[in-house]
Amino acid sequence: MKRDIEYYLRREAFPHIWCAGCGNGIVLGAILRAIDDLQWDKNEIAMISGIGCSSRITGYVDFCTMNTTHGRALPFATGIKMANPEMKVIVVMGDGDCSAIGGNHFIHAARRNIDLTAIIVNNMIYGMTGGQYSPLTPSGRFGTTAPYGNIDQSFDLVKLATAAGASYVARGTVYHIRPLISLIKKAFNKKGFSVVEIISDCPISYGKMNRMQSAPEMLKWIRDSAVSSKVWENLSEEEKKDKYVIGEFLDVEKPEYTELYAMVVERAQKLEVGK
Amino acid sequence: MEKEGSKEIYQNNSVKITVDKEWCKACGICLEFCPQKVLAADEGGKPYPVNLSACTRCGLCELRCPDFAITVEGVEGKKDV
Amino acid sequence: MSKLKGDIELLQGNEACVRGALLAGVRFFAGYPITPSSEIAEGMARLLPRLGGKFLQMEDEIASMAAVIGASIAGLKSITATSGPGFTLKQENLGFAILNEIPCVIVDAQRGGPSTGLPTAPAQGDMMQARWGTHGDHSIIALAPSTVNEVLFLTIRAVNLSEKYRTPVILLLDEVIAHMREKVRLPLPEEVEIINRKKPTVSPEEYLPFKPEQDGVPPMANFGEGYRYHFTGLIHNQKGLPTTDPQEIDSLIRRINDKIQANIKDITFLENYSLDEARIALVAYGSVARAAEGAVKLAREKGLKVGLLKLLTVWPFPSEEVNRLAQQVDLIVVPEMNLGQMVLAVERAVGGKCKVVSYSRVDGELITPLEILEKVEEEIIKK
Ligand SMILES: Cc1ncc(C[n+]2csc(CCOP(=O)(O)OP(=O)(O)O)c2C)c(N)n1
Ligand code: SF4
Ligand code: SF4
Ligand code: SF4
């Protein structure tokens, strides 16, 4: 049975702190709708976040939740999942949280292929601290600490997660809302480390620095710069500039970490008995 | 239109749109991307249906609302009240 | 290493730490290798899975501390071990554990610092880092064993105190204690007192995760047990949700301090050597307490009325006991393998009631009994 979204919310914490039109709320809605479709039991869900506007998400949902330290959500979640593999553990991070301060934790969580779902709200900026550029700010774009244009290359999280050993990797957007819910659902169902990067809007920090004054304007930009993998393949390097590819990029089966560790326990206990 | 606390309810015999005026932050997303141009902004920038009969109950306004401030009932697959 | 209990064994300090932790019910370890603590990780990797526990080698100490907190919240008694450089990295999430009242134990096998310092030489340079390493006002419990036997028993105490007071507890070893071997009688499981965190007695609907009971400690539900609630590094109300209400802020910060200070009697372990009728006291901890004990013996042979107060609990500092001591003796000497860290706490506790002098060594060498005796005699001549 479908439930009202409010069933999953901590009502007393609303209205939430996010700015008008902020994509964080759209992401929250998509996550909750995916959970509702899967009919997961609220008691079995742990939602863990780092620090940033997007990471405030965990304060609003009626699960076992943790708003941890900047960049560290994945290792906290790893501890929870190892201690209680029955729990369904969802990790929500901002682009800075995940790829800058938490970059090492991200590649190692993927390398272990531990059964967590990492959702990265990529608004291409440090929102909470007021619009400094992040490792996912595209080259040439502006941030308060890149007032003359960003000279850094940006990470491609999809490639990073794939190379590091994840089992499922996808990219969606807050504009393409129904496909986004499906991607999240698939990630949740995946045994192993699953990643959904979500291109999102921060009209206040990113929008203002990059000549998009409103949330609808930002969503139009997101809509117009997203292309499917099929289209992407046929674009020249020049055409790919300022565009990004969305969809599913990896979906493989391989041994998951808590299951492998259960085998370690078995081996250790057999040895003990043998002695 | 009926009121229920901070909620404004607009209804005809096929669709019911509810807007929580307290939670809505007047971002304009629902209005801008409604495929049928059902919604318009009140003086505070918050949505109300000007053309309820055109609503196809696609649910996009609800799904994209960052503030859980607008709901559409009668949408396929969603619990009807 | 196959037997876990009930035997007399020749154990290294780090091995005793592993045994103590397992006896106390620890079932989760996350860490990152660093001398002189690595044998703890190695022991845990070998023994934890035999007991159905979990061992994780993380990508760094920040992640290790995070994983330990996560595992504790999910219901496993958890421990991590490191040395100075790693201890520094753990400070960020140690603060999270303090604020969120997460039971866990952090072992710091101290080595010379600052920075990479002296990886294989003993030091006691992290005493203040243990106290104030993480930012913001907080209390902390830190224990410092000086024998392998004490490592075993203080590890058990550390786990128990962390559960009882819902707080991280630091176990301060040093390179000597970590690596030396001594005979230890491992207690039988039934001889070990085990304290478990208080569980809520109310329904999930009524549960307030940060509402204290009389002792200042809130009952703790583990994730996955039907109680859904929030942890945050932000200052929070009793529900666990962020707050900016000055009264709620004040009451939380004071409570997480007071719950330790108010129970200081229960937390403090000290040992006296020849303190009756002593006119001069040594105050020492860790491997230096061994030399101090030797110095007391030498002094007594010479007819000098010297005694030793050995601190097994270093934080919260046992001010009352030290103040009482100051009323009895004319002089307190504090030998330390640092430039004088705990001596500051001693002076503060003494409050001018007797003379306090520091004896320091920071060259990576152990302090010897003879040196301490010489220092005492030098002070006697000065008088
Ligand atoms: C250790 C540490 N360094 C810096 C900060 C300050 N800080 C808070 S949020 C943030 C960036 C958040 O950006 P992002 O992760 O992209 O999330 P967003 O706010 O855009 O959702 C920073 C740098 C912090 N809280 N902790
Ligand atoms: S600053 Fe940006 S990311 Fe943060 S709440 Fe506002 S719009 Fe959202
Ligand atoms: S349900 Fe669809 S058609 Fe109806 S108002 Fe919302 S967006 Fe417009
Ligand atoms: S999308 Fe939601 S918050 Fe934005 S204007 Fe519409 S109802 Fe209000």
Side-chain angles (χ1 to χ4, degrees):
Chain A
M1 185 195 73
K2 288 260 165 204
R3 294 184 193 268
D4 282 338
I5 226 67
E6 289 189 16
Y7 171 76
Y8 299 101
L9 299 177
R10 291 190 177 121
R11 274 202 60 108
E12 71 271 25
F14 279 78
H16 56 56
I17 57 155
W18 296 313
C19 308
C22 172
N24 291 331
I26 309 178
V27 171
L28 172 57
I31 293 173
L32 295 180
R33 284 164 182 119
I35 288 173
D36 190 57
D37 280 351
L38 296 170
Q39 292 287 296
W40 279 0
D41 177 351
K42 289 200 282 190
N43 287 321
E44 287 178 0
I45 303 172
M47 197 192 272
I48 317 299
S49 60
I51 294 289
C53 294
S54 42
S55 287
R56 292 297 287 263
I57 203 165
T58 43
Y60 298 117
V61 291
D62 186 22
F63 307 132
C64 296
T65 55
M66 255 179 127
N67 180 6
T68 66
T69 44
H70 195 22
R72 320 296 180 206
L74 281 166
F76 277 90
T78 299
I80 291 173
K81 185 72 188 180
M82 279 296 277
N84 183 354
E86 301 302 308
M87 288 211 92
K88 301 181 156 70
V89 186
I90 303 164
V91 181
V92 181
M93 299 169 279
D95 46 305
D97 192 70
C98 169
S99 73
I101 192 162
N104 200 39
H105 305 311
F106 180 70
I107 59 176
H108 286 278
R111 179 180 61 82
R112 285 184 200 102
N113 192 34
I114 187 161
D115 185 23
L116 308 170
T117 299
I119 293 182
I120 299 102
V121 185
N122 179 10
N123 57 16
M124 306 182 188
I125 203 90
Y126 288 163
M128 176 151 270
T129 41
Q132 300 80 11
Y133 71 95
S134 91
L136 296 189
T137 304
S139 305
R141 292 286 174 161
F142 296 88
T144 55
T145 47
Y148 308 110
N150 178 25
I151 57 170
D152 289 21
Q153 295 185 62
S154 60
F155 270 135
D156 182 335
L157 279 192
V158 164
K159 286 184 183 153
L160 195 64
T162 305
S167 284
Y168 179 86
V169 181
R171 185 187 283 130
T173 87
V174 291
Y175 177 84
H176 305 87
I177 189 69
R178 283 196 207 280
L180 178 64
I181 296 169
S182 311
L183 295 175
I184 295 174
K185 230 162 50 181
K186 274 196 86 170
F188 284 167
N189 267 334
K190 189 77 198 176
K191 188 99 199 153
F193 191 68
S194 53
V195 177
V196 183
E197 178 192 343
I198 304 171
I199 309 287
S200 183
D201 67 303
C202 164
I204 295 303
S205 295
Y206 191 78
K208 289 235 165 83
M209 290 300 295
N210 291 283
R211 299 183 183 195
M212 288 175 279
Q213 294 298 336
S214 71
E217 244 183 284
M218 285 213 72
L219 254 58
K220 279 183 203 160
W221 167 69
I222 288 172
R223 177 191 65 196
D224 298 339
S225 356
V227 292
S228 68
S229 346
K230 270 217 184 79
V231 176
W232 183 258
E233 275 162 28
N234 299 319
L235 294 183
S236 68
E237 283 312 307
E238 194 49 37
E239 288 168 318
K240 281 181 184 169
K241 254 185 112 219
D242 292 328
K243 295 250 185 295
Y244 48 82
V245 53
I246 58 173
E248 260 177 21
F249 305 96
L250 180 72
D251 186 359
V252 294
E253 302 295 326
K254 55 178 157 179
E256 188 274 331
Y257 201 73
T258 61
E259 291 180 350
L260 287 173
Y261 198 82
M263 284 155 69
V264 168
V265 169
E266 223 172 90
R267 244 178 279 154
Q269 292 181 345
K270 255 191 215 137
L271 277 176
E272 175 73 349
V273 173
K275 265 202 179 166
Chain B
M1 189 260 285
E2 285 170 55
K3 281 203 173 198
E4 230 183 77
S6 58
K7 289 178 178 168
E8 287 183 357
I9 301 163
Y10 303 85
Q11 199 162 6
N12 65 15
N13 32 15
S14 62
V15 60
K16 175 174 160 187
I17 294 184
T18 309
V19 180
D20 189 326
K21 291 281 179 153
E22 214 173 274
W23 285 20
C24 170
K25 291 181 184 149
C27 70
I29 289 176
C30 57
L31 326 167
E32 182 71 36
F33 298 104
C34 168
Q36 310 302 327
K37 301 283 163 234
V38 170
L39 304 167
D42 67 13
E43 63 281 9
K46 299 181 180 183
Y48 72 98
V50 280
N51 191 9
L52 195 58
S53 56
C55 174
T56 59
R57 302 173 305 187
C58 71
L60 283 170
C61 54
E62 176 174 337
L63 292 177
R64 287 205 190 101
C65 171
D67 287 86
F68 306 99
I70 185 165
T71 54
V72 184
E73 279 154 289
V75 176
E76 203 189 335
K78 192 172 182 291
K79 186 179 61 165
D80 282 82
V81 176
Chain C
M1 279 294 272
S2 71
K3 288 187 193 150
L4 292 176
K5 63 226 169 202
D7 299 317
I8 293 188
E9 277 191 53
L10 187 65
L11 287 186
Q12 195 193 47
N14 282 339
E15 290 168 358
C17 178
V18 172
R19 302 299 188 86
L22 297 178
L23 281 165
V26 165
R27 290 297 178 269
F28 185 91
F29 177 97
Y32 188 82
I34 184 167
T35 307
S37 76
S38 299
E39 294 84 1
I40 299 177
E42 289 162 358
M44 288 294 186
R46 200 162 51 234
L47 296 180
L48 268 172
R50 293 190 191 174
L51 300 169
K54 315 281 167 79
F55 167 89
L56 262 180
Q57 180 167 309
M58 295 300 286
E59 52 273 22
D60 59 32
E61 288 85 349
I62 301 172
S64 310
M65 191 64 215
V68 157
I69 294 169
S72 179
I73 286 170
L76 296 187
K77 290 187 183 177
S78 303
I79 193 168
T80 182
T82 186
S83 184
F87 193 43
T88 299
L89 291 183
K90 288 188 196 289
Q91 296 298 332
E92 177 191 44
N93 288 332
L94 175 62
F96 185 91
I98 291 168
L99 182 68
N100 283 289
E101 304 179 67
I102 313 296
C104 55
V105 175
I106 300 101
V107 183
D108 173 20
Q110 299 174 81
R111 62 195 232 180
S115 191
T116 309
L118 295 163
T120 56
Q124 297 177 319
D126 302 353
M127 307 309 290
M128 283 298 171
Q129 187 179 206
R131 179 64 192 89
W132 290 118
T134 197
H135 63 282
D137 280 303
H138 62 275
S139 255
I140 194 82
I141 300 175
L143 311 179
S146 66
T147 67
V148 174
N149 201 48
E150 284 171 8
V151 173
L152 182 84
F153 286 96
L154 288 187
T155 306
I156 298 171
R157 299 289 315 213
V159 176
N160 282 341
L161 288 172
S162 79
E163 292 281 321
K164 186 169 181 181
Y165 295 111
R166 262 193 83 167
T167 186
V169 174
I170 295 165
L171 188 72
L172 289 163
L173 310 183
D174 56 55
E175 191 275 333
V176 171
I177 301 298
H179 282 161
M180 77 192 306
R181 289 186 179 276
E182 286 182 318
K183 246 197 243 165
V184 174
R185 185 191 158 266
L186 287 157
L188 296 163
E190 54 270 28
E191 296 172 317
V192 179
E193 186 201 9
I194 293 203
I195 300 176
N196 295 315
R197 61 192 70 170
K198 290 186 290 186
K199 287 296 179 66
T201 50
V202 297
S203 69
E205 292 70 38
E206 292 166 297
Y207 178 55
L208 291 171
F210 295 96
K211 183 173 179 222
E213 293 186 336
Q214 286 250 296
D215 58 357
V217 183
M220 181 171 172
N222 299 325
F223 275 12
E225 292 179 342
Y227 291 77
R228 299 185 302 274
Y229 62 101
H230 190 52
F231 287 104
T232 172
L234 291 162
I235 305 299
H236 44 264
N237 58 22
Q238 293 195 337
K239 276 206 109 166
L241 297 174
T243 181
T244 49
D245 178 295
Q247 238 178 329
E248 287 181 337
I249 297 168
D250 186 79
S251 90
L252 176 66
I253 301 299
R254 286 184 195 280
R255 182 175 63 71
I256 59 170
N257 278 277
D258 292 349
K259 73 175 179 185
I260 310 274
Q261 288 304 324
N263 294 296
I264 190 165
K265 285 256 142 51
D266 182 45
I267 295 166
T268 301
F269 311 105
L270 303 168
E271 266 177 35
N272 297 337
Y273 290 93
S274 308
L275 269 183
D276 299 337
E277 292 162 45
R279 304 304 303 166
I280 296 170
L282 307 175
V283 173
Y285 54 90
S287 59
V288 175
R290 305 168 71 92
E293 214 182 310
V296 169
K297 280 188 197 124
L298 294 176
R300 288 281 170 172
E301 279 163 20
K302 288 188 156 190
L304 299 172
K305 290 187 170 171
V306 179
L308 163 67
L309 176 67
K310 179 158 94 177
L311 310 178
L312 296 171
T313 301
V314 288
W315 305 116
F317 191 72
S319 300
E320 225 180 281
E321 289 81 353
V322 171
N323 185 280
R324 214 176 305 129
L325 184 63
Q327 299 178 35
Q328 177 195 328
V329 301
D330 308 317
L331 171 68
I332 293 178
V333 177
V334 187
E336 299 180 85
M337 288 189 288
N338 55 46
L339 288 179
Q341 296 195 10
M342 293 310 291
V343 71
L344 300 171
V346 172
E347 283 168 354
R348 197 167 165 185
V350 164
K353 290 213 172 77
C354 77
K355 188 174 178 191
V356 178
V357 297
S358 156
Y359 181 72
S360 285
R361 220 174 151 161
V362 286
D363 56 359
E365 295 293 324
L366 275 177
I367 294 178
T368 66
L370 208 56
E371 282 173 73
I372 300 176
L373 181 65
E374 278 166 11
K375 179 71 184 173
V376 168
E377 288 177 325
E378 184 190 311
E379 289 300 320
I380 294 173
I381 294 164
K382 271 195 210 160
K383 265 204 291 189

